[in-house]
Amino acid sequence: MGSVSLKIGDGTARFKRTTLCSSAVNTLMIFCVIITNLFAIYAFTSSPKNDHTELLHQAHKNFSLISEQVSLILREIDISQKKLAQMEKELLGYQSIDLSRPNIANELKLFLQRHQLPLGKDSKTGITEMVPSVGHSCEKSSDLLSQYMNYKVFGPCPDDWSVAQKLILRGCEPLPRRRCFAKSVSKVGLHPFPASLWKPVGNKTVNWSGLSCKNFECLNGKKLSRDCISCFDLVNGYENQRFIKSRSKNDFLIDDVLALGSGGIRIGLDVGGGSGSFAATMADRNVTVITNTLNIDAPFSEFIAARGLFPLYLSLDHRFPFYDNVFDLVHVASALDVGGKAEKLEFLMFDVDRILRVGGLFWLDNLYCANEEKKKALTRLIERFGYKKLKWVVGEKVDSLGSGKSEVVLSAVLQKPIRV
């Protein structure tokens, strides 16, 4: 069993993983012990029996030789274990941030230091020091991380939100805190709630730096994703009709889904929720919904906030920052198409299941299935969770991104069961 000590920030996590290499090291150790014992037996049994002085001299030489051999074997084992540890780090992707590098920003070094509690050990938690939290993948982007942490202390932060998002998308999450003032935006033209839900958002309410479009008029003509086609147009677009009027059998209506909720639907999470129209439609029905999104090619977070809604700036590789069994409903559309290995989707599904209460609803909304095999794999995965299928519709829709091809989509409303 190979044991690897891995530093994240300045904290330490322990990971154990059985590998072919660790098995080889164990085999090597056993082999060395056997050889050493055989050598010792040979050394003692081959000594002359008729000469006591020569016997002692020979025994001394044998002991010295055995000691040298043992030391050599132990050194070889130590080197092998270090090589194994390095190989496992590379396979797992975990690595320590080397703060001795000359290009590491001083603020990053300061943030990653452990800080002793002023009154010593805390009686409730048992901790004696505060350890910073930094994503393990930050090591792979240490140069970009140092760029992010290079600023004037107590001065204005660089206008580098796009650098922060690039780090997040590379798995460097959570990011370290900074001691500088973020760029301020005047937020001119905000409307009071609930009128803000469907009023146009002004161009001066968001930060357009780092984006190709510099106003909402530019964004209104773009197809940013399957869930965001002119999704910033709250007046002339389809956003104010979504979830109220269906355009296909896969489009479930919000009122119909709410009627299925056991014990009532009060709070929900919308994963990859575009411009926040799902949360806005829910707010019209006195349901609070948090919208998880990033600013990919558009200022989604600021737009959602300008509507009086709650944006959660978080990638789907990050564990949801919520306690277990707290949400009545989780709504997911194309964001569930995470790609990669099947285990990646499984991790996401288990996290969704964790935050959803018993009897809560998991709403899959027009989830794109690239092929029949993917649809079957997703179906098998859902069935393993034991959810009750309240609604389940598989249909075809013309690709909303403009290819003109028909694509298979799955829409479903699933209810979380009681598990013993």
Side-chain angles (χ1 to χ4, degrees), residues 379 382-383 386-392 412-415:
T379 301
I382 291 172
E383 289 175 347
Y387 284 11
K388 182 179 180 181
K389 296 178 182 178
L390 303 180
K391 283 179 172 286
W392 185 276
V413 178
L414 311 169
Q415 189 172 43

Side-chain angles (χ1 to χ4, degrees), residues 260-309:
L260 300 173
S262 174
I265 304 297
R266 303 152 301 162
I267 56 174
L269 173 66
D270 187 14
V271 180
S275 61
S277 292
F278 178 81
T281 308
M282 282 293 197
D284 287 336
R285 289 151 178 78
N286 296 319
V287 178
T288 301
V289 171
I290 297 172
T291 304
N292 164 230
T293 187
L294 289 174
N295 288 356
I296 306 296
D297 299 326
F300 288 101
S301 293
E302 290 174 288
F303 187 85
I304 292 168
R307 300 178 73 175
L309 302 168

Side-chain angles (χ1 to χ4, degrees), residues 54-95:
E54 187 177 349
L55 176 64
L56 291 175
H57 178 68
Q58 187 66 30
H60 179 72
K61 288 176 62 179
N62 290 340
F63 273 122
S64 299
L65 186 58
I66 291 172
S67 178
E68 291 176 5
Q69 292 295 322
V70 170
S71 298
L72 180 62
I73 290 170
L74 291 175
R75 282 197 299 271
E76 289 296 326
I77 291 174
D78 183 60
I79 292 171
S80 298
Q81 287 183 327
K82 287 180 180 179
K83 288 181 178 179
L84 171 64
Q86 183 61 34
M87 290 172 65
E88 288 185 324
K89 285 181 180 181
E90 292 173 358
L91 288 171
L92 289 168
Y94 292 93
Q95 187 67 289

Side-chain angles (χ1 to χ4, degrees), residues 184-255:
S184 300
V185 179
S186 59
K187 304 291 183 182
V188 175
L190 292 177
H191 300 284
F193 189 86
S196 59
L197 293 173
W198 300 106
K199 290 281 188 179
V201 176
N203 290 323
K204 294 183 179 181
T205 62
V206 303
N207 178 12
W208 295 98
S209 67
L211 298 172
S212 58
C213 282
K214 302 302 179 183
N215 54 59
F216 289 115
E217 290 73 25
C218 171
L219 286 176
N220 288 340
K222 288 186 175 294
K223 298 179 179 180
L224 298 176
S225 69
R226 287 183 171 84
D227 299 320
C228 185
I229 298 174
S230 299
C231 67
F232 292 94
D233 188 352
L234 302 182
V235 178
N236 302 314
Y238 178 64
E239 287 298 289
N240 54 13
Q241 297 298 312
R242 287 183 69 186
F243 313 109
I244 297 176
K245 294 182 179 180
S246 63
R247 294 193 291 187
S248 73
K249 64 179 182 179
N250 285 81
D251 296 334
F252 299 157
L253 304 183
I254 271 188
D255 292 329

Side-chain angles (χ1 to χ4, degrees), residues 6-150:
L6 308 170
K7 288 187 178 295
I8 302 173
D10 219 16
T12 301
R14 300 287 301 179
F15 295 83
K16 290 188 176 181
R17 177 175 178 177
T18 302
T19 65
L20 180 62
C21 298
S22 60
S23 299
V25 171
N26 292 335
T27 304
L28 175 63
M29 292 175 67
I30 295 171
F31 177 76
C32 291
V33 171
I34 294 173
I35 293 299
T36 303
N37 290 335
L38 291 175
F39 182 79
I41 293 171
Y42 169 77
F44 283 113
T45 56
S46 63
S47 300
K49 297 180 180 179
N50 56 350
D51 190 339
H52 182 68
T53 304
E54 187 177 349
L55 176 64
L56 291 175
H57 178 68
Q58 187 66 30
H60 179 72
K61 288 176 62 179
N62 290 340
F63 273 122
S64 299
L65 186 58
I66 291 172
S67 178
E68 291 176 5
Q69 292 295 322
V70 170
S71 298
L72 180 62
I73 290 170
L74 291 175
R75 282 197 299 271
E76 289 296 326
I77 291 174
D78 183 60
I79 292 171
S80 298
Q81 287 183 327
K82 287 180 180 179
K83 288 181 178 179
L84 171 64
Q86 183 61 34
M87 290 172 65
E88 288 185 324
K89 285 181 180 181
E90 292 173 358
L91 288 171
L92 289 168
Y94 292 93
Q95 187 67 289
S96 302
I97 296 179
D98 185 3
L99 299 182
S100 64
R101 294 179 184 175
N103 61 338
I104 296 293
N106 289 329
E107 280 293 284
L108 180 58
K109 295 179 182 179
L110 183 62
F111 178 82
L112 292 178
Q113 289 179 358
R114 293 171 179 255
H115 299 280
Q116 298 292 327
L117 296 181
L119 301 179
K121 184 177 180 179
D122 182 76
S123 59
K124 293 183 178 180
T125 62
I127 63 173
T128 59
E129 58 188 4
M130 299 299 293
V131 180
S133 177
V134 176
H136 70 267
S137 292
C138 292
E139 163 63 21
K140 295 181 178 180
S141 305
S142 56
D143 291 340
L144 194 61
L145 183 62
S146 280
Q147 178 186 336
Y148 174 73
M149 292 298 289
N150 190 13

